[in-house]
Amino acid sequence: MNLFQGVFLAAFLMALPGLLICQESSELSIALRKSPLVSHYSQEDFQGDTQFWTTTEDHLGVSYFGNNDGVVIFDGERWQKVSLPNHSSVRSLITSSKGKVYAGGFNELGIIEKQATGDYIYRSLLKDLDLEGIELENLWQVHEYKDYIIFRSFNELIAISGNTATHISANNSFVHSGIVNNRFFVQDAGFGIMEFNPEEMRLNKVFDFGRGSVVGFLPSGLQNELMAITREGSVFKMNLKNNEVYPWKQVLDKENQGQIISAIKFEEEYLLGTLGSKIIVLTEEGKINRNPPAFKDISNSSILNLFKAGNGLWVLLNNGLSYVDFDSPVSQLFQEGSVYDIYVGSDKIYLATNKGVYYSELQDGEIDKSMLEFRSIPNLEGQAWSITNLSGSLIVGHDRGLFELDGLRASQIGEVSGFWKVVGIPDSPNTFIASNYNGIYLLKKNGAIWSLQNKIKGFDESSRDILISDDANTFWVCHGYQGVYKLKLTEDYSRVYAVDHFTDRNGLISPFNVNVTRWEDDIVFTSNTGIYEFDEASNYFKPYEKLNSVLDSTFNTRKLIKKKDTAWIVQDNEVGFIDFSEDKPEVQKNLFLNLKGKLNRGMESILPMENGKVLIGATTGLFLYDTQTGEQSEDLVTEITGIRYVKDSREMAIANNSEMNLPVDTEIIRFEFATPRMSPSSEIEFSYILEGIDEHWSSWEETPFKEFTHLRPGDYTFKVRSRNLVGQKGEVSSASFRIPPIWYKTDVAFFIYFLGIIGLIILMIYVFRAKIISERRKAKMAAEKAQRLLKLEIEQLRLEKDKELIKQDKKLLEEDNIQKSKELANYTMMLVKKKDVFNETYENLQDFQKTLKTQGAKRNLRNIIQKLNNHRIGEEYMKIFDVNFEKVHKNFFRTLKEINPDLTKRELRLCAFVKMDLTNKEIAPLLNISVRGVETARYRVRKKLDVHEPNFLHFLENLPVNEKEEIF
């Protein structure tokens, strides 16, 4: 066996299980043959016990799950838990036709209600139904049948209608119950299959059955027949006409030893949940698929219950929850690396990735996740860029060079590394251009042999994006950072003889992110600023209006592929398509939102297929999209699930109604929202607007709530819409609310303000009128005052004239007073000198008398002395001094007398002499005392006047003078 045969045999053996699976899968319905998206929810999501027993869905699409903690509620965004009063597990849930959600646990049954504030509560019905104190045990199932809600325990059925509960006891033990073709059946262990008659409120036996415990009553497709599936895996058909039971299938074999836990009918098949083998599919024809590919991604093998939700399926596990979405238009086929190129052959699909080249076998050319199993091809590990079918051979552009792929065997062509891709040359079927990291190479095929020729000289730039021009031997090369090159090659492709380099001139605004491709028969250049074509005549790039009229030129269009009437594009990291068969073609991007930011920039890989399907390579793997199933079949409502506000740091809930008023001092208001009926298999995004604040809708984001802080008083309407990443859209929901104004901004306050303004205006008019009258009165008074002032001014002028005369008189008096002071001083000094001369003469005469010897002479001299003595300066002279002194210093003596009335004339004159600044020596003769006597007299006067300052003269000069006249 040679190497090729060995590789082929290994590949065949690896593909054999897939062939067998495909054969079984081809017998399933269309839904189960799809590649569904499976979403798993763990304890980290719902924060509760992981063992789930039952589920239901209300009219809004909110899901309720019963587990060992109670009820877990999921609205598509957030999980809430509701516990029963006795904290028992919940084994039974149902939504009635009236929209009520009933729950049953151990010795407990009631209703799950949603309050106006958005919170869920449990309301027990034990008291209303008069069931308090009764041992109900576990209520395993609940059904709505005609006008009754019927709970099943092992011991009895409890049929509830209104506030009445009817008990129907078991003969032995009620194992399972179900409704088929509008008939209620229950298995009574060891007794048979019973049917409930609501008119008679009794059970009628319809089948003898003792061959196991039934886990599901299902319709068989015939009106008078039902199927019973037992825990042991046996399937029985039961004829309601002849009441016969006969075995039909055994779904558990020797390799699948275990138990059937749950069973439902899903479209045309029966889904059987097992204890350890996930889900077994049984068709109406009796075909059994024990390993359906549709359920291979379910995370746990123990299936406790199944529930059909729309076109999806909730799978209740022993360790969490799974949701199987059969309607998802997207499925991820490969996730081992970044996909750069895709090639689909007749029997295989190949992927060029950052980890090498991968392949998978195809069955009948159909690409479906359940049928694919990718494996890497040896010798192609590392970065692969492209896979191209050239002349019947697959050529791989790789970081390590060029490779020819023959089946699963890769052989390198040449020894040069770093090739992007290979393009053909028109009219030269066996000659190709290989674009390299550092230029371009010539590649030829001679028979079955590929050979890498010489490097074409004259161009050494990276040529990742290359396209053959309509001109002979001419190529366009776009460089991501350096613009566009137009290369002209020689006839033998040995060298580039002309290079035209275009950057931000010749019509291109920027040299960055320019790509070249073909659109119909034209060569176009995509860029950050629109799409261009090159005009050879003017050597200029001009806008390509045929596409610019459809594609927004503000986006960077990097990829452009057209197949029939559909164009596939990549704009700013978003994939979209345009159907040009429509009257007004528009870019559709919603279906591909999950790829935003996950594309290989500049190396995007898009492969359109038939029937609206497309393969897209991304950094996270390979995705298959079905554009025809991306349309939603029902209206999806975006629900505002809760409104809360914060006041004084306390959070409070409020009901969403038409009269929603918030306190004026609301600090925060929070809106919570969800779209329960939107598939949980894809991320949901929301956009919102607060009318009264926002002018535009917000950008799309995954956060399922929005908070506003410190809103001003006013009327507001909050609106929210939703979408998911597979193209579904939720309708807009709204909530209007009002924040009342502060009391001084209310209507009553404004009315009062209005009245106040009117009153103020009236008051102002009154005040203005009063002011006018007052001004007139003031003007009159001012005129009168002016007249009076004029008279006063005249009088003042006269007075000023008199004052001037008085001033002149005063000046004359002062001058006279000064003159008199001088005269007084002179008179006083004259008296002093006169007395000095007299005393000296008198003393001389007395001395001369002593010298005379005759009595006659002595007598004559004595007479002369007597005459002189009679003319001494006496009291008459001092009185003259007193009068003159008083004229100059008025009331001086009177003021001294007021200080001390005991002052003598001599003491008053002493004070006058001191005030005149005479010395003790000058004062002594005037008072006829010695100098020592003057000092003694001054001391006595100072003591009488109580003078303490050392300068007696200073005291007398500052002595306050009384203006009363002095009378001596």
Side-chain angles (χ1 to χ4, degrees):
M1 182 182 292
N2 58 32
L3 177 60
F4 175 75
Q5 291 174 328
V7 172
F8 179 79
L9 180 58
F12 175 78
L13 293 176
M14 288 187 290
L16 184 58
L19 293 174
L20 297 176
I21 291 174
C22 178
Q23 183 177 2
E24 288 184 336
S25 300
S26 64
E27 298 171 349
L28 301 178
S29 66
I30 295 175
L32 294 184
R33 281 191 280 118
K34 292 181 179 179
S35 299
L37 281 181
V38 179
S39 305
H40 183 68
Y41 300 95
S42 64
Q43 190 176 37
E44 185 177 347
D45 299 308
F46 47 78
Q47 298 293 314
D49 188 80
T50 59
Q51 198 172 41
F52 288 90
W53 305 107
T54 183
T55 182
T56 189
E57 184 179 88
D58 67 14
H59 295 343
L60 295 176
V62 177
S63 299
Y64 300 73
F65 302 95
N67 67 356
N68 293 329
D69 288 336
V71 180
V72 178
I73 303 167
F74 181 51
D75 63 7
E77 292 296 335
R78 57 189 61 81
W79 301 81
Q80 296 185 46
K81 289 193 295 184
V82 176
S83 298
L84 273 59
N86 59 4
H87 299 283
S88 71
S89 62
V90 172
R91 299 290 184 132
S92 55
L93 286 168
I94 192 172
T95 301
S96 71
S97 57
K98 296 181 180 180
K100 293 183 178 181
V101 178
Y102 289 85
F106 182 77
N107 288 335
E108 184 63 58
L109 62 87
I111 298 174
I112 306 295
E113 295 179 327
K114 183 180 181 181
Q115 296 180 303
T117 57
D119 297 322
Y120 290 85
I121 62 169
Y122 173 81
R123 181 167 65 85
S124 177
L125 295 178
L126 294 182
K127 184 176 181 180
D128 295 342
L129 299 173
D130 198 21
L131 296 176
E132 290 181 313
I134 298 177
E135 290 293 329
L136 303 178
E137 298 185 349
N138 267 317
L139 300 176
W140 299 97
Q141 286 178 279
V142 61
H143 311 273
E144 183 179 23
Y145 183 59
K146 297 188 177 179
D147 295 330
Y148 295 92
I149 300 295
I150 304 175
F151 285 89
R152 177 190 68 82
S153 69
F154 284 145
N155 295 329
E156 62 179 349
L157 298 178
I158 303 174
I160 301 172
S161 178
N163 289 331
T164 302
T166 303
H167 301 261
I168 303 172
S169 300
N171 294 298
N172 187 359
S173 176
F174 289 138
V175 176
H176 185 80
S177 57
I179 299 173
V180 178
N181 296 331
N182 201 30
R183 298 174 69 174
F184 187 95
F185 299 97
V186 61
Q187 181 188 16
D188 197 339
F191 191 75
I193 307 299
M194 315 294 289
E195 182 178 2
F196 174 61
N197 185 339
E199 285 78 16
E200 300 178 1
M201 295 302 292
R202 55 176 290 182
L203 295 175
N204 299 319
K205 185 175 181 180
V206 289
F207 298 106
D208 286 320
F209 188 80
R211 287 171 280 186
S213 298
V214 175
V215 296
F217 291 113
L218 302 175
S220 68
L222 300 177
Q223 183 64 31
N224 293 314
E225 187 179 67
L226 73 149
M227 292 174 54
I229 301 169
T230 68
R231 191 177 301 275
E232 295 74 23
S234 299
V235 181
F236 296 88
K237 287 192 174 182
M238 300 180 174
N239 192 306
L240 294 170
K241 285 186 176 181
N242 55 23
N243 297 332
E244 290 185 0
V245 177
Y246 54 92
W248 185 51
K249 290 292 177 181
Q250 175 63 40
V251 297
L252 295 178
D253 57 13
K254 293 180 180 180
E255 296 181 359
N256 289 276
Q257 293 296 326
Q259 291 181 342
I260 304 296
I261 304 298
S262 58
I264 65 168
K265 188 170 185 180
F266 187 86
E267 295 192 357
E268 301 173 5
E269 282 83 24
Y270 303 97
L271 305 183
L272 312 179
T274 69
L275 186 61
S277 303
K278 293 188 179 180
I279 297 175
I280 297 175
V281 179
L282 175 66
T283 67
E284 289 183 341
E285 294 77 21
K287 303 294 184 181
I288 301 172
N289 190 332
R290 296 184 174 87
N291 296 291
F295 303 118
K296 67 178 183 179
D297 291 335
I298 292 177
S299 61
N300 191 269
S301 60
S302 293
I303 312 299
L304 301 184
N305 211 337
L306 299 166
F307 180 78
K308 186 176 184 297
N311 294 320
L313 181 71
W314 279 107
V315 182
L316 280 62
L317 308 173
N318 191 56
N319 188 25
L321 295 165
S322 288
Y323 180 78
V324 184
D325 186 1
F326 293 101
D327 263 357
S328 175
V330 57
S331 57
Q332 187 169 7
L333 308 181
F334 175 82
Q335 55 186 7
E336 297 298 324
S338 298
V339 176
Y340 289 86
D341 201 7
I342 310 163
Y343 176 76
V344 179
S346 59
D347 59 350
K348 291 183 181 66
I349 177 173
Y350 296 89
L351 307 178
T353 75
N354 64 319
K355 295 182 178 180
V357 178
Y358 287 78
Y359 82 100
S360 178
E361 300 287 344
L362 296 180
Q363 305 301 326
D364 300 326
E366 185 175 355
I367 297 178
D368 192 281
K369 180 179 180 180
S370 62
M371 304 177 187
L372 298 178
E373 189 171 353
F374 283 96
R375 298 177 177 86
S376 64
I377 296 178
N379 200 33
L380 288 177
E381 294 82 3
Q383 179 67 62
W385 298 113
S386 63
I387 303 176
T388 313
N389 190 337
L390 301 173
S391 299
S393 299
L394 289 182
I395 304 300
V396 177
H398 200 283
D399 181 66
R400 293 191 282 114
L402 285 176
F403 292 84
E404 178 189 4
L405 189 58
D406 186 4
L408 302 179
R409 184 165 59 90
S411 55
Q412 188 168 1
I413 304 171
E415 297 180 352
V416 180
S417 62
F419 282 94
W420 298 108
K421 62 180 179 181
V422 179
V423 296
I425 299 176
D427 302 325
S428 298
N430 293 318
T431 304
F432 306 90
I433 297 294
S435 59
N436 188 264
Y437 294 174
N438 300 298
I440 52 178
Y441 285 77
L442 189 65
L443 178 66
K444 289 188 176 182
K445 183 180 182 182
N446 187 7
I449 305 301
W450 288 88
S451 61
L452 185 65
Q453 304 295 309
N454 56 291
K455 179 181 179 182
I456 299 174
K457 299 179 181 179
F459 185 73
D460 297 324
E461 299 294 337
S462 175
S463 55
R464 173 177 56 81
D465 194 12
I466 186 170
L467 184 71
I468 298 174
S469 175
D470 294 331
D471 299 332
N473 303 327
T474 303
F475 293 83
W476 290 100
V477 175
C478 292
H479 193 287
Y481 304 102
Q482 298 182 18
V484 180
Y485 296 91
K486 185 179 181 181
L487 310 181
K488 294 183 179 180
L489 281 66
T490 59
E491 293 289 339
D492 59 356
Y493 296 101
S494 61
R495 65 185 180 88
V496 176
Y497 71 87
V499 178
D500 292 333
H501 187 196
F502 305 96
T503 55
D504 55 354
R505 300 179 181 178
N506 301 81
L508 291 177
I509 297 177
S510 170
F512 301 111
N513 299 323
V514 181
N515 295 277
V516 61
T517 188
R518 280 193 177 272
W519 178 262
E520 297 176 344
D521 295 328
D522 299 325
I523 295 176
V524 296
F525 299 83
T526 62
S527 71
N528 292 334
T529 56
I531 300 175
Y532 298 84
E533 62 178 339
F534 186 72
D535 184 16
E536 295 284 351
S538 60
N539 200 39
Y540 197 82
F541 290 90
K542 61 181 182 180
Y544 191 67
E545 297 300 336
K546 188 182 296 186
L547 288 176
N548 285 332
S549 61
V550 180
L551 300 177
D552 190 344
S553 60
T554 61
F555 294 135
N556 175 22
T557 303
R558 296 201 304 267
K559 197 78 173 180
L560 190 60
I561 300 172
K562 186 176 183 183
K563 184 174 183 180
K564 296 183 179 179
D565 292 329
T566 303
W568 299 87
I569 63 170
V570 174
Q571 283 187 321
D572 283 355
N573 285 325
E574 292 184 348
V575 179
F577 70 93
I578 309 171
D579 187 355
F580 282 94
S581 64
E582 297 179 351
D583 294 335
K584 294 182 179 180
E586 295 181 350
V587 179
Q588 305 293 329
K589 295 182 179 180
N590 289 338
L591 182 60
F592 312 100
L593 291 175
N594 65 317
L595 291 181
K596 185 175 182 179
K598 299 178 181 178
L599 301 173
N600 294 303
R601 190 176 181 86
M603 294 290 288
E604 297 86 359
S605 178
I606 300 176
L607 181 61
M609 304 178 70
E610 299 297 330
N611 301 321
K613 294 184 179 181
V614 61
L615 290 171
I616 301 178
T619 58
T620 53
L622 178 67
F623 294 85
L624 173 65
Y625 290 88
D626 189 345
T627 60
Q628 295 180 353
T629 61
E631 299 178 358
Q632 62 191 57
S633 58
E634 61 176 332
D635 294 333
L636 302 175
V637 179
T638 308
E639 298 285 345
I640 297 177
T641 58
I643 304 175
R644 301 176 184 277
Y645 68 92
V646 176
K647 175 187 175 184
D648 299 330
S649 301
R650 293 176 56 197
E651 183 177 272
M652 289 163 279
I654 187 172
N656 182 10
N657 52 49
S658 58
E659 298 181 356
M660 187 164 55
N661 291 312
L662 298 178
V664 66
D665 51 354
T666 297
E667 299 168 7
I668 300 173
I669 180 171
R670 174 189 174 104
F671 296 90
E672 297 177 349
F673 30 82
T675 311
R677 290 199 179 279
M678 193 170 283
S679 172
S681 61
S682 174
E683 294 293 336
I684 299 175
E685 296 181 331
F686 299 92
S687 177
Y688 48 82
I689 184 173
L690 182 62
E691 294 181 352
I693 293 292
D694 302 325
E695 296 182 357
H696 307 286
W697 286 85
S698 70
S699 59
W700 291 97
E701 54 188 51
E702 295 180 4
T703 307
F705 65 88
K706 176 58 182 176
E707 292 182 347
F708 299 95
T709 58
H710 300 290
L711 293 177
R712 294 181 178 179
D715 295 320
Y716 300 92
T717 298
F718 176 78
K719 293 183 177 180
V720 62
R721 60 188 179 182
S722 60
R723 72 179 185 184
N724 63 11
L725 301 186
V726 294
Q728 294 178 320
K729 296 181 179 179
E731 294 181 353
V732 175
S733 285
S734 63
S736 297
F737 63 97
R738 184 172 188 269
I739 298 178
I742 305 173
W743 65 267
Y744 52 80
K745 292 184 179 181
T746 60
D747 293 339
V748 174
F750 284 118
F751 180 70
I752 295 174
Y753 300 155
F754 175 75
L755 294 179
I757 292 173
I758 298 298
L760 182 61
I761 293 173
I762 295 173
L763 179 62
M764 290 176 65
I765 292 173
Y766 174 78
V767 171
F768 287 154
R769 288 180 177 177
K771 188 171 183 180
I772 291 173
I773 295 172
S774 175
E775 290 297 327
R776 289 176 179 174
R777 186 183 297 112
K778 286 182 180 179
K780 184 178 180 181
M781 293 175 64
E784 294 175 353
K785 183 177 180 181
Q787 291 179 355
R788 290 197 301 270
L789 288 175
L790 180 61
K791 292 179 179 179
L792 289 174
E793 286 178 359
I794 296 172
E795 183 68 20
Q796 186 175 0
L797 289 174
R798 186 180 65 79
L799 292 175
E800 286 180 354
K801 187 176 181 181
D802 293 342
K803 185 178 180 180
E804 186 66 26
L805 294 174
I806 293 171
K807 187 176 181 181
Q808 291 177 0
D809 292 341
K810 183 179 180 181
K811 184 176 181 182
L812 292 175
L813 290 174
E814 289 177 351
E815 291 176 354
D816 182 63
N817 189 36
I818 293 171
Q819 182 64 32
K820 288 180 178 179
S821 297
K822 290 180 179 179
E823 291 176 357
L824 178 62
N826 292 332
Y827 179 76
T828 304
M829 294 306 300
M830 182 193 69
L831 289 177
V832 171
K833 290 180 180 180
K834 184 178 179 180
K835 194 157 189 175
D836 288 340
V837 171
F838 184 85
N839 290 336
E840 184 179 354
T841 304
Y842 187 79
E843 290 176 356
N844 291 332
L845 290 175
Q846 284 182 338
D847 292 336
F848 180 71
Q849 184 181 7
K850 291 178 180 181
T851 60
L852 292 178
K853 296 183 178 191
T854 63
Q855 289 294 327
K858 290 183 179 180
R859 187 173 51 251
N860 290 333
L861 186 59
R862 194 166 37 252
N863 290 330
I864 294 172
I865 291 172
Q866 184 64 38
K867 290 179 179 180
L868 286 174
N869 193 39
N870 292 333
H871 289 86
R872 292 179 69 126
I873 297 174
E875 185 63 24
E876 65 276 11
Y877 291 102
M878 295 309 297
K879 284 184 178 181
I880 294 172
F881 170 80
D882 293 339
V883 172
N884 290 331
F885 183 85
E886 189 65 21
K887 288 180 179 179
V888 178
H889 303 283
K890 292 183 178 181
N891 298 327
F892 177 76
F893 296 125
R894 187 181 184 88
T895 301
L896 291 177
K897 291 288 272 182
E898 288 179 353
I899 295 174
N900 192 336
D902 297 333
L903 290 174
T904 63
K905 282 188 177 182
R906 176 174 289 188
E907 290 172 339
L908 291 174
R909 288 171 181 161
L910 174 62
C911 291
F913 295 147
V914 172
K915 184 174 179 63
M916 293 178 66
D917 198 19
L918 299 181
T919 63
N920 291 344
K921 186 177 179 181
E922 291 172 338
I923 295 171
L926 294 175
L927 296 179
N928 294 319
I929 57 176
S930 63
V931 174
R932 180 70 178 172
V934 173
E935 291 178 356
T936 303
R938 289 182 67 156
Y939 174 76
R940 291 186 185 131
V941 171
R942 286 173 63 95
K943 192 171 181 181
K944 285 184 178 183
L945 295 177
D946 195 22
V947 177
H948 299 286
E949 57 182 292
N951 192 337
F952 188 43
L953 173 62
H954 184 265
F955 170 77
L956 294 175
E957 287 179 347
N958 295 318
L959 186 71
V961 179
N962 196 330
E963 293 298 328
K964 293 180 180 180
E965 292 185 4
E966 174 67 33
I967 298 176
F968 262 95

